[in-house]
Amino acid sequence: MSRPSILHLLNQAEPNTIVTARGWVRTRRGNKAVSFIALNDGSTIHNLQVVVDYAKINEEDIKAIGTGACLKVTGLLVESPAAGQRVELQATEIEIYGLADETFPMQKKGHTLEFLREQAHLRFRTNTFGAVFRVRHALAFAIHKYYNDNGYIYLHTPIITGSDAEGAGAMFRVTTFEPNAAPVTDGVVDFSQDFFGRSTHLTVSGQLEGELGAMALGKVYTFGPTFRAEQSNTSRHLAEFWMIEPEVAFNDLEDNMNLAEDFLKYLVNYALEHCKDDLEFLNKQYDTTLIERLQFVLANDFQRLTYTEAIEILKATKHKFEFAVDWSTDLQSEHERYLVEQHFGRPVILTDYPKDIKAFYMRLNDDGKTVRAMDVLFPGIGEIIGGSQREERYDQLVARMDAMGVPTDELWWYLDTRKFGTAPHAGFGLGFERLVLFVTGMTNIRDVIPFPRFPQNASF
RNA sequence: GCUUCAGUAGCUCAGUUGGUUAGAGCACCUGACUGUUAAUCAGGGGGUCCUAGGUUCAAGCCCUAGCUGGAGCGCCA
């Protein structure tokens, strides 16, 4: 049975027809003769105005309806005589699915995002979170559409991983042992008796497995949950987040940058085209420069430069930094922000970092000092993408692993791709929530994922 | 983990130099209004001033510790 959404009723349905709408009450107001109910079903940021004439419906029957109640309303859809909406629904029958009393936490006015975070189970019912999660959905869909339309294969890499040396941060252990009853051999927990017969963890990246796929399927991407057990307590980090990782055979760093820029612009454009109402709401409510900023990103090339060139710019500026600028150390947030927000005033792609501050799998440049790494830096977000051309040469890769203490025996399967038909290839990781942050203009990453996981918190 | 700011009604906040019975708006209840747009207007009920300890004749306000939350930093996506 087809059930018209409020989005459909507001924008497309023919006036002067009998329709039924279902949704949750945002407000009810009125006088002795008539009540106006703003009804929302999540299909759009806009509400359907239901008009209740007490000549047709007994006032006593709807007296208990307040913000938060869920209703089924049948009536005549008419052109609205008042400003504010194209059509409205003149109710002839109201069925109450569920009332909400005055303890319902989502009120008509003034909630802080911090309060709503503590009410994550109900915050979907606010305009803000409705908008944010519709945009999040649209972006997730657009990611699959982009790669599908460009001939990529969606590869499902494992969430539980046997390797604990992926080089991307602290990991959560996966075990079926009870904390105080793990079998111990020679004073050490014996994971050979555990579920998988070995030590296992939640993945911190699908990249290494993605490379295996790319070395046969050509163009692949992953899009899935990722876990980091870092004590990161910031508005840009989560312990559980979603990451998109394309990996492409025969791509070099230049191709990788082109892909990253084209991909990000496609996603921003998709949101502007498909989430207009929600973005306009966020633009009005939180950040009046949001839409302008999104359009600016579409209209301008990302600034590309090497790490070494960036260091020179930072050393030459009169701008005072808290931390010293020094070749061979990673840039501080304040340095990245200066480059993106002040010096260039646009997204920046930094490349060719010193090898010692980057991961083992990045391809060594001919200078022997830098690697083919790239970071895409966005205003207000910082690093939104991290990627590289991968080291495809077996001997160089093993040498880097040895130098950095990465166990070659454990990653034998990874090294096999370099032994058998190796090829140049490149890829990157895009933090999905950081993308959603940028597109929605939200400022805390905990507000763009339905149920955020972060240190000391796994509520809901 | 480090630095810093905050915690007062269900929610958003005010509360002066430490001084009588802690205030407002929204929400809720009652009433007014025949078309409202987070409606408006009048009235009413509603408080563990985060917790514990301390200073003082007197603490929402000052001090100490803890708890919770925000922002910034590091790690990164």
Side-chain angles (χ1 to χ4, degrees):
Chain A
M1 185 188 99
S2 128
R3 190 179 288 146
S5 66
I6 284 176
L7 176 66
H8 176 83
L9 293 177
L10 287 176
N11 293 336
Q12 289 166 291
E14 283 293 316
N16 302 312
T17 53
I18 303 289
V19 300
T20 297
R22 296 166 172 84
W24 290 266
V25 174
R26 286 297 171 77
T27 69
R28 184 168 74 87
R29 55 184 174 267
N31 55 42
K32 222 172 192 173
V34 63
S35 252
F36 300 94
I37 297 172
L39 204 65
N40 187 282
D41 69 353
S43 59
T44 164
I45 187 111
H46 300 298
N47 302 321
L48 175 66
Q49 173 154 278
V50 175
V51 185
V52 185
D53 187 340
Y54 296 150
K56 294 180 196 158
I57 290 178
N58 191 339
E59 183 178 2
E60 286 303 311
D61 293 342
I62 66 153
K63 212 175 165 186
I65 295 172
T67 300
C70 188
L71 309 179
K72 174 184 174 185
V73 184
T74 301
L76 187 65
L77 193 73
V78 298
E79 285 178 29
S80 182
Q85 54 278 319
R86 182 183 74 101
V87 291
E88 63 187 32
L89 180 57
Q90 287 181 343
T92 50
E93 191 185 337
I94 294 183
E95 181 184 336
I96 298 172
Y97 285 133
L99 292 173
D101 67 17
E102 71 280 2
T103 62
F104 180 59
M106 303 296 110
Q107 292 166 12
K108 290 199 264 189
K109 279 198 174 186
H111 295 296
T112 59
L113 292 170
E114 291 79 21
F115 172 74
L116 294 172
R117 219 168 280 152
E118 291 170 0
Q119 306 288 334
H121 58 310
L122 296 171
R123 68 177 177 171
F124 298 108
R125 299 196 195 180
T126 63
N127 287 330
T128 296
F129 286 94
V132 165
F133 292 123
R134 278 187 295 272
V135 172
R136 183 182 165 106
H137 158 76
L139 289 170
F141 178 78
I143 285 161
H144 287 301
K145 181 166 168 52
Y146 177 87
Y147 286 122
N148 184 65
D149 290 354
N150 286 288
Y152 284 67
I153 303 293
Y154 179 26
L155 189 72
H156 294 94
T157 51
I159 289 168
I160 297 173
T161 172
S163 60
D164 54 7
E166 291 175 4
M171 305 177 90
F172 290 102
R173 179 176 292 285
V174 174
T175 178
T176 55
F177 288 160
E178 291 298 322
N180 295 318
V184 173
T185 303
D186 299 332
V188 183
V189 173
D190 182 6
F191 287 105
S192 70
Q193 296 180 48
D194 202 353
F195 187 90
F196 294 107
R198 59 176 299 162
S199 173
T200 52
H201 296 84
L202 293 178
T203 184
V204 291
S205 164
Q207 180 201 315
L208 300 189
E209 293 89 346
E211 286 186 52
L212 311 184
M215 289 297 96
L217 300 167
K219 298 197 281 189
V220 304
Y221 72 104
T222 72
F223 183 8
T226 309
F227 308 87
R228 305 262 168 102
E230 306 284 354
Q231 284 297 328
S232 299
N233 226 304
T234 82
S235 53
R236 299 182 311 282
H237 291 84
L238 291 164
E240 177 182 302
F241 65 101
W242 288 64
M243 188 153 66
I244 300 100
E245 295 178 287
E247 194 70 38
V248 185
F250 317 120
N251 264 14
D252 61 15
L253 191 66
E254 186 77 18
D255 299 322
N256 207 31
M257 287 191 280
N258 292 340
L259 174 63
E261 182 165 347
D262 186 60
F263 178 46
L264 286 169
K265 285 180 171 174
Y266 176 88
L267 297 175
V268 168
N269 186 57
Y270 189 92
L272 281 170
E273 284 187 356
H274 293 84
C275 307
K276 199 164 172 288
D277 290 355
D278 289 321
L279 292 178
E280 278 171 3
F281 170 81
L282 294 166
N283 192 77
K284 180 169 134 246
Q285 200 72 18
Y286 290 98
D287 180 355
T288 53
T289 63
L290 172 64
I291 290 175
E292 192 183 310
R293 192 164 60 246
L294 297 178
Q295 285 164 345
F296 180 86
V297 164
L298 285 188
N300 292 278
D301 290 340
F302 294 4
Q303 182 71 42
R304 302 180 185 189
L305 72 162
T306 66
Y307 167 90
T308 304
E309 289 164 343
I311 292 288
E312 284 163 11
I313 289 170
L314 292 168
K315 281 192 164 165
T317 180
K318 291 192 180 100
H319 188 91
K320 290 276 175 267
F321 295 112
E322 191 184 339
F323 293 92
V325 176
D326 174 40
W327 201 96
S328 81
T329 61
D330 214 348
L331 297 180
Q332 302 283 322
S333 288
E334 58 170 342
H335 302 146
E336 295 179 349
R337 268 206 313 275
Y338 173 79
L339 290 171
V340 173
E341 291 161 20
Q342 292 182 48
H343 189 82
F344 292 116
R346 63 174 68 184
V348 169
I349 308 181
L350 284 181
T351 62
D352 301 290
Y353 284 74
K355 64 179 180 182
D356 292 332
I357 60 173
K358 287 294 181 183
F360 71 90
Y361 46 72
M362 298 187 178
R363 194 181 198 279
L364 188 65
N365 279 315
D366 292 342
D367 63 11
K369 294 188 296 190
T370 58
V371 289
R372 305 243 75 191
M374 67 171 212
D375 282 0
V376 180
L377 309 177
F378 259 40
I381 308 290
E383 188 180 341
I384 195 167
I385 278 178
S388 66
Q389 183 176 337
R390 317 307 189 189
E391 181 58 82
E392 84 281 12
R393 299 163 298 184
Y394 183 86
D395 292 342
Q396 277 86 345
L397 182 56
V398 169
R400 280 306 291 158
M401 291 172 80
D402 287 343
M404 297 177 80
V406 179
T408 50
D409 53 340
E410 208 173 291
L411 293 177
W412 61 272
W413 44 270
Y414 183 69
L415 287 168
D416 263 9
T417 56
R418 273 63 169 176
K419 267 194 211 163
F420 306 120
T422 192
H425 61 290
F428 60 79
L430 168 66
F432 185 51
E433 283 75 17
R434 288 187 181 177
L435 172 74
V436 182
L437 265 188
F438 180 74
V439 173
T440 59
M442 292 285 101
T443 54
N444 192 314
I445 203 163
R446 295 163 189 180
D447 295 331
V448 297
I449 187 169
F451 302 105
R453 298 285 177 261
F454 51 95
Q456 296 302 307
N457 194 299
S459 307
F460 305 103

